[in-house]
Amino acid sequence: MKLSKYYITAFILASSWIGLAQQLPQFTQYMYNTIAINPAYAGSRETLSVVGLHRSQWVGLEGGPSTSTLSVHSPLRNEKIGVGLSFIDDQLGFENFSYIYGDFSYTIQTGENTKLAFGLKAGFTHYGLDAAFQNDQSFDPTIFGIQNRWTFNTGVGLYWHTNKWYLGLSAPRMLTTDLNNDDGFAALERVSYYFTGGYVFDLSESTKFKPAFMLKTTNGAPLSFDFTANFLFNEVLWLGAAYRVNEQAGALGGIADFQVSKQLRIGYAYEYPISDLRPYTSGTHEILLMFEVFKSKRIKSPRYF
């Protein structure tokens, strides 16, 4: 089989990402996109929240992953109930993944300032191969099976929080669905478990410090640990650093977020790999847009998560 240079590169990418390609993509600014991995987060910001993220990974490496996501969530009139909807488009070499999932949460008061939310997630995953790859004369369908399939999946989550800290535990995809119709190329949705947390420290009247972490374990893949540390200045500017520990794709990065107005936030993150990919890429770029509709009677405290 003779493939073009592009597809050889894409295949190497997919192989190096084995165990990760068939699960939700990861973001440097994960703390602002929590609903993608934990349905219990829906409605926790006490207002209508719309978040868009785009990630261009391993820039300069042909066939590098590119991911875009859009999520919307809000509490209902009964503030104990939250609902949300999220869409993710993940392009990984010659493989394409699309996710569209709905979220439901129910929150109970566990203390004077603490709340515990229970969440359910359900929706569909679409899997396929690039049309150009399938049209390549050297493409052999007996190796890769039949593509372009929609499959159902579901997930659960817990989210315990105050206005100063949070802890989350979730499994956003609980079914190990076979994405092919044949027994050839194994493309499965893996079961991943996420444990997240963060805390806000008041350093002065104008400065806050917020460390956060995300621990992810996936069946058949290495353990992944993300740690971020951000400083907030005058409730307007977030500046910080990020570090990911992963046997296959560790990275160092920086984060900057600016609160343009009460409703609008923009953010940027840069990541540089500390793996064997370093000679082949200039790094990873990530852009965040967050828009929220505030209702003064509903918001009871500043939202840092």
Side-chain angles (χ1 to χ4, degrees):
M1 179 184 294
K2 183 180 179 181
L3 297 177
S4 67
K5 180 181 177 181
Y6 170 83
Y7 295 120
I8 292 175
T9 304
F11 184 79
I12 293 173
L13 282 170
S15 298
S16 67
W17 206 249
I18 189 168
L20 299 181
Q22 292 80 36
Q23 58 176 303
L24 285 173
Q26 220 160 264
F27 294 92
T28 306
Q29 300 174 91
Y30 58 86
M31 70 293 294
Y32 303 127
N33 194 42
T34 304
I35 195 171
I37 61 170
N38 191 342
Y41 186 75
S44 65
R45 292 187 63 84
E46 301 179 348
T47 189
L48 175 65
S49 181
V50 182
V51 178
L53 264 171
H54 176 76
R55 178 179 175 89
S56 294
Q57 189 166 332
W58 304 335
V59 172
L61 186 62
E62 193 172 14
S66 176
T67 308
S68 298
T69 178
L70 178 67
S71 63
V72 182
H73 66 101
S74 173
L76 298 183
R77 188 176 296 274
N78 178 352
E79 296 183 6
K80 293 182 178 181
I81 298 175
V83 294
L85 182 68
S86 58
F87 173 78
I88 301 175
D89 179 57
D90 191 25
Q91 307 291 318
L92 183 71
F94 53 77
E95 291 184 291
N96 306 319
F97 293 85
S98 296
Y99 309 84
I100 182 164
Y101 280 78
D103 303 278
F104 174 87
S105 71
Y106 186 82
T107 300
I108 61 173
Q109 200 80 28
T110 56
E112 184 178 352
N113 298 310
T114 60
K115 297 179 180 180
L116 177 63
F118 303 84
L120 294 174
K121 179 186 288 285
F124 296 90
T125 299
H126 178 265
Y127 170 73
L129 298 183
D130 281 346
F133 185 83
Q134 296 189 54
N135 293 333
D136 193 292
Q137 293 182 357
S138 59
F139 172 71
D140 186 350
T142 62
I143 294 178
F144 294 96
I146 300 173
Q147 293 77 40
N148 300 322
R149 293 189 61 194
W150 285 97
T151 56
F152 174 80
N153 215 321
T154 186
V156 296
L158 296 172
Y159 188 69
W160 190 33
H161 63 102
T162 70
N163 66 322
K164 287 290 186 180
W165 57 262
Y166 73 94
L167 290 172
L169 182 63
S170 62
R173 305 289 183 269
M174 297 183 66
L175 305 178
T176 54
T177 307
D178 186 351
L179 298 173
N180 288 294
N181 287 329
D182 293 343
D183 295 328
F185 182 57
L188 303 174
E189 283 198 276
R190 306 294 182 99
V191 179
S192 296
Y193 302 94
Y194 293 81
F195 180 47
T196 57
Y199 194 96
V200 174
F201 296 91
D202 293 310
L203 301 184
S204 69
E205 290 185 2
S206 61
T207 306
K208 292 179 172 58
F209 176 59
K210 184 184 73 172
F213 71 88
M214 179 174 68
L215 180 66
K216 180 175 71 173
T217 177
T218 302
N219 294 341
L223 188 71
S224 178
F225 179 75
D226 283 63
F227 179 77
T228 58
N230 289 276
F231 291 91
L232 173 61
F233 302 100
N234 297 312
E235 301 287 337
V236 172
L237 178 65
W238 287 103
L239 291 176
Y243 177 58
R244 177 176 301 122
V245 182
N246 186 295
E247 290 182 14
Q248 294 175 331
L252 288 170
I255 303 173
D257 285 271
F258 183 67
Q259 195 74 41
V260 179
S261 67
K262 191 175 182 180
Q263 292 79 27
L264 181 64
R265 176 191 294 186
I266 60 173
Y268 170 77
Y270 173 79
E271 230 180 55
Y272 189 73
I274 51 175
S275 65
D276 294 339
L277 289 170
R278 280 179 296 176
Y280 309 104
T281 173
S282 59
T284 295
H285 302 274
E286 196 174 285
I287 298 173
L288 165 79
L289 284 175
M290 178 185 290
F291 180 79
E292 296 184 307
V293 180
F294 283 89
K295 297 180 180 180
S296 58
K297 292 182 179 180
R298 172 170 280 176
I299 300 296
K300 301 178 179 63
S301 59
R303 311 309 302 167
Y304 299 115
F305 314 111

